[in-house]
């Protein structure tokens, strides 16, 4: 009888914290040994965290990783497959090594280097060319790293080298429906290689990326036999007996709203925690975006680490004040109200001489225009940043993906801050997340969800004074920005040409704003971050 027990170590690595990551790996290894595991499998680049980006340009980084790997091998309580960067004869590799008996027994080098979406591995690594098949307890285990199993060639070569079980290390970031996509791809690949796969994935927030874990095992027929939880550290043992995986625990799959909310919560917790910010500051408006951001921040950090600030202007509705006060009461966070009417008057006095001089050239200023609207947002931004400076806490901005796409936001105003929580959440989905969060416990007052959205920067203002209905706006953004459809294709789908022209024009015009926006959490297949690299200066005309 051949029998092998593999422990999947789904843990939250901290990029660059080599000693800390090694310590966490050893903690998991002791638990794996005590659980009877024969070998432990870690995620991709577990030793240094993923993605280390241009740290991989530093020779000293590789030396430090190699030294830590040696120490880890000496301390290993059981055989472990560790993901790590490797330098060898002047080349650099994304590698996985089996540590046993106090040393490195074998090393595999990733063969397929993705350079699409958020990935840029060809910038840093050379591709490996050799397979690696380990004999563990009489079982021949092939190693693969993430994209090696998604593309053809590498896995087939490992199968031809005699592998009967595939162990794969992954740093696969989350986006909506990603787990279903992983199952789909792995089933297609298993149908070709016809051997089981044990899939260990990273968990944790790293800048704009969130890794959801959700590691699993799949047998040679494409059946999921083990499913680890999403968005939580976990250690799970997978038994391989006489050529088959023995069925184990299957964690529940969260709903779409639940998994996105969990991703946002983990992204906030890790961005602040790993960067050692003592807490967060959020400017409330009485609207849905700031309300959802506040709820996420409190769930991620705790009420004691969140401060909400309401800064009413003469155009702020009483309902906005009442709803904001009610929400902070429900959540129990620190709360300030700072009226800005006096500041608005003072800025008007300061600017009057300059504006008078400008009028001689460009004509008289309207009684009320975007200058006055943006000034309110910038006064609020200054106040929030002053509180941030005084407390050391980071300002969380509250703009959503719909607004970021079309520039419905003020530079140095509501865009001022350090981390954009819902930057990749479309407005229509903001409402769905708010309803979902209230189904857990009702923290967002119903008025905030049901009232028409408004920036409240002038009397009786609503978002639809400037924008198409959000259902239309979001459909255009998704088609143009996420699926790369041309305006002609979008119009053919039934959306009016006027709306398409307006939205696409605004989207392209406001790239300069997005480049100055804070980093934010990616939850869709394409966000305004690593996977959106359009030029600011361009005269390309879209196809109509």
């Amino acid at each position: 009888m051949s029998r092998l027990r593999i422990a999947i170590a789904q843990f939250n690595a901290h990029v660059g914290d080599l000693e800390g990551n090694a310590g966490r790996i050893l903690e998991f290894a002791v638990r794996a040994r005590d659980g009877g595991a024969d070998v432990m499998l870690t995620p991709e680049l577990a030793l240094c965290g993923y993605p280390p980006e241009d740290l991989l340009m530093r020779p000293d980084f590789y030396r430090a990783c190699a030294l830590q790997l040696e120490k880890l091998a000496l301390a290993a309580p059981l055989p472990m497959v560790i993901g790590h960067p490797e330098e060898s004869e002047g080349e650099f590799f994304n590698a996985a090594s089996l540590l046993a008996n106090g040393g490195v027994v074998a090393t595999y080098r990733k063969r397929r280097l993705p350079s699409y979406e958020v990935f840029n591995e060809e910038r840093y690594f050379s591709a490996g060319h050799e397979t690696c098949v380990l004999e563990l307890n009489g079982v021949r285990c092939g190693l693969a790293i993430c994209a090696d199993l998604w593309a053809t060639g590498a896995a087939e070569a490992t199968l031809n080298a005699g592998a009967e079980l595939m162990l794969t290390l992954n740093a696969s970031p989350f986006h909506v429906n990603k787990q279903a996509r992983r199952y789909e791809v792995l089933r297609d690949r298993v149908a070709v290689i016809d051997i089981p796969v044990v899939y260990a994935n990273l968990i944790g927030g790293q800048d704009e990326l969130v890794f959801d874990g959700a590691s699993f095992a799949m047998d040679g027929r494409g059946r999921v036999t083990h499913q680890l939880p999403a968005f939580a550290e976990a250690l799970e043992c997978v038994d391989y007996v006489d050529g088959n995986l023995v069925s184990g625990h299957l964690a529940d799959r969260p709903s779409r709203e639940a998994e996105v909310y969990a991703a946002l919560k983990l992204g906030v917790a890790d961005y602040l925690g790993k960067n050692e910010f003592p807490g967060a500051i959020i400017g409330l408006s009485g609207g849905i975006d700031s309300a959802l951001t506040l709820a996420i921040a409190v769930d991620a950090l705790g009420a004691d680490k969140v401060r909400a600030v309401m800064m009413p202007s003469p155009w702020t509705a009483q309902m906005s004040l009442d709803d904001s006060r009610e929400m902070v009461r429900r959540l129990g966070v620190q709360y300030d109200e700072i009226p800005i009417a006096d500041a608005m008057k003072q800025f008007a006095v300061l600017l009057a001489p300059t504006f008078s001089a400008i009028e001689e050239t460009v004509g008289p200023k309207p009684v009320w225009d975007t200058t006055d609207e943006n000034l309110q947002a910038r006064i609020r931004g200054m106040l929030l940043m002053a509180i941030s400076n005084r407390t050391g806490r980071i300002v969380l901005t509250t703009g959503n993906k719909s607004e970021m796409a079309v520039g419905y936001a003020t530079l140095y105003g509501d865009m001022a801050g350090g981390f954009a929580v819902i930057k990749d959440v479309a407005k229509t989905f903001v409402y769905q997340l708010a309803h979902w969060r209230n189904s857990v416990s009702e923290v967002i007052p119903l008025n905030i969800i049901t009232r028409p959205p408004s920036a409240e920067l002038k009397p009786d203002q609503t978002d639809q004074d400037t924008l198409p209905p959000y259902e239309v706006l979001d459909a255009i953004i998704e088609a143009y920005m996420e699926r790369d459809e041309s305006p002609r294709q979008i119009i053919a789908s039934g959306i009016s040409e006027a709306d398409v022209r307006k939205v696409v024009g605004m989207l392209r015009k406001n790239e300069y704003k997005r480049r100055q926006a804070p980093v934010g959490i990616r939850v869709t297949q394409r966000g305004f971050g690593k996977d959106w690299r359009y030029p600011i200066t361009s005269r390309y005309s879209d196809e109509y």
Side-chain angles (χ1 to χ4, degrees):
M1 173 185 282
S2 61
R3 184 183 187 97
L4 182 67
R5 172 166 279 194
I6 309 107
I8 301 174
Q10 179 175 292
F11 83 102
N12 191 336
H14 190 155
V15 166
D17 185 6
L18 307 183
E19 186 174 348
N21 292 337
R24 296 304 316 285
I25 290 170
L26 288 175
E27 290 174 15
F28 275 78
V30 169
R31 290 169 52 198
R33 178 201 63 194
D34 294 346
D38 300 303
V39 63
M40 187 178 81
L41 181 65
T42 68
E44 181 178 4
L45 294 186
L47 184 61
C48 66
Y50 190 97
E53 298 187 300
D54 279 11
L55 287 173
L56 293 166
M57 298 291 196
R58 302 190 61 83
D60 56 301
F61 185 70
Y62 285 90
R63 290 193 295 268
C65 288
L67 179 61
Q68 197 63 56
L69 192 70
E70 292 176 10
K71 293 179 179 178
L72 195 56
L74 291 171
L78 83 169
M80 306 187 299
V81 179
I82 305 297
H84 64 96
E86 180 204 31
E87 186 276 328
S88 177
E89 298 180 352
E91 288 192 281
F92 304 95
F93 300 97
N94 184 338
S97 291
L98 174 65
L99 310 185
N101 303 317
V104 176
V105 174
T107 295
Y108 173 75
R109 294 161 177 168
K110 188 174 183 179
R111 300 177 65 173
R112 299 289 183 264
L113 302 176
S115 291
Y116 51 82
E117 292 183 355
V118 300
F119 305 105
N120 198 13
E121 292 196 18
E122 289 182 351
R123 174 179 171 87
Y124 304 110
F125 298 121
S126 296
H129 302 286
E130 304 296 328
T131 60
C132 182
V133 178
L134 311 169
E135 187 161 326
L136 302 168
N137 274 22
V139 178
R140 293 180 62 78
C141 300
L143 293 185
I145 301 176
C146 209
D148 289 337
L149 208 56
W150 285 60
T152 59
E156 287 85 345
T158 302
L159 177 70
N160 293 335
E164 55 188 298
L165 173 66
M166 191 73 73
L167 305 181
T168 175
L169 303 81
N170 303 271
S172 175
F174 168 80
H175 63 68
V176 174
N177 297 325
K178 186 62 173 284
Q179 188 70 348
R181 177 62 178 155
R182 293 178 189 131
Y183 286 168
E184 178 186 7
V185 170
L186 266 292
R187 285 193 175 105
D188 288 346
R189 304 299 297 124
V190 163
V192 174
I193 61 177
D194 197 30
I195 61 174
V197 174
V198 179
Y199 182 104
N201 192 32
L202 190 67
I203 178 183
Q206 173 59 29
D207 298 342
E208 72 188 61
L209 301 180
V210 174
F211 298 89
D212 55 326
S215 306
F216 60 93
M218 183 177 286
D219 67 18
R221 299 187 301 277
R223 184 175 63 97
V224 176
T225 62
H226 299 73
Q227 177 59 68
L228 277 64
F231 306 106
E233 290 192 326
L235 181 74
E236 186 84 23
C237 286
V238 176
D239 288 318
Y240 177 84
V241 180
D242 290 339
N244 296 299
L245 296 179
V246 178
S247 296
H249 176 68
L250 297 173
D252 292 335
R253 289 280 306 279
S255 68
R256 183 168 180 254
E257 291 80 8
E259 70 174 4
V260 170
Y261 196 91
L264 296 171
K265 189 170 74 169
L266 180 58
V268 170
D270 274 4
Y271 192 84
L272 271 71
K274 291 179 177 180
N275 288 294
E276 299 181 344
F277 288 104
I281 298 165
I282 296 166
L284 289 186
S285 67
I288 187 72
D289 298 319
S290 62
L292 179 63
T293 303
L294 179 61
I296 293 166
V298 170
D299 289 342
L301 307 170
D304 61 316
K305 289 186 171 61
V306 179
R307 188 181 202 111
V309 185
M310 183 69 174
M311 296 161 285
S313 80
W315 317 122
T316 300
Q318 186 62 42
M319 180 189 297
S320 297
L321 282 165
D322 293 341
D323 290 341
S324 294
R325 291 166 182 166
E326 174 60 19
M327 185 167 180
V328 298
R329 185 195 66 79
R330 294 181 185 185
L331 289 173
V333 300
Q334 295 173 291
Y335 177 65
D336 301 281
E337 282 186 12
I338 308 174
I340 64 169
D342 289 345
M344 292 167 61
K345 293 176 183 176
Q346 187 59 43
F347 271 100
V349 170
L350 290 171
L351 288 166
T354 300
F355 281 0
S356 294
I358 291 172
E359 287 177 9
E360 295 177 6
T361 304
V362 301
K365 176 184 176 298
V367 174
W368 193 264
D369 65 1
T370 54
T371 306
D372 304 281
E373 294 183 24
N374 289 342
L375 189 57
Q376 295 172 67
R378 289 178 177 133
I379 289 169
R380 289 172 174 142
M382 283 192 295
L383 293 173
L384 291 173
M385 292 309 300
I387 298 169
S388 174
N389 291 157
R390 189 70 180 86
T391 62
R393 296 185 176 193
I394 189 173
V395 174
L396 301 181
T397 64
T398 61
N400 60 62
K401 187 172 190 174
S402 309
E403 294 170 348
M404 291 301 103
V406 296
Y408 195 65
T410 303
L411 274 174
Y412 328 119
D414 54 320
M415 291 176 67
F419 196 56
V421 179
I422 59 171
K423 179 181 182 177
D424 198 32
V425 181
K427 184 75 168 190
T428 48
F429 198 58
V430 167
Y431 284 99
Q432 294 177 49
L433 288 178
H435 282 294
W436 178 86
R437 179 59 184 84
N438 271 5
S439 73
V440 177
S441 61
E442 196 166 334
V443 297
I444 302 175
L446 186 60
N447 277 340
I448 292 177
I449 299 175
T450 58
R451 64 185 297 201
S454 170
E456 291 192 330
L457 297 174
K458 64 180 181 180
D460 302 319
Q461 184 181 41
T462 68
D463 291 2
Q464 269 56 67
D465 297 340
T466 305
L467 303 173
Y470 277 114
E471 292 78 8
V472 175
L473 176 65
D474 289 349
I476 297 170
I477 293 168
E478 182 179 349
Y480 184 85
M481 182 260 177
E482 296 182 26
R483 298 199 300 269
D484 287 320
E485 292 183 14
S486 70
R488 180 185 297 177
Q489 291 173 300
I490 302 170
I491 295 165
S493 73
I495 299 176
S496 77
E497 181 174 347
D499 283 338
V500 173
R501 284 187 178 275
K502 179 174 185 176
V503 172
V504 170
M506 294 175 77
L507 194 153
R508 296 194 58 201
K509 180 181 178 181
N510 284 285
E511 183 64 28
Y512 79 101
K513 278 191 181 182
R514 289 189 292 271
R515 291 285 185 96
Q516 298 179 70
V519 64
I521 303 166
R522 174 185 183 261
V523 295
T524 67
Q525 191 164 357
R526 193 177 202 184
F528 288 116
K530 294 177 186 294
D531 42 355
W532 177 265
R533 305 177 193 182
Y534 275 67
I536 296 173
T537 306
S538 169
R539 287 191 177 180
Y540 175 73
S541 296
D542 289 290
E543 174 188 83
Y544 282 93

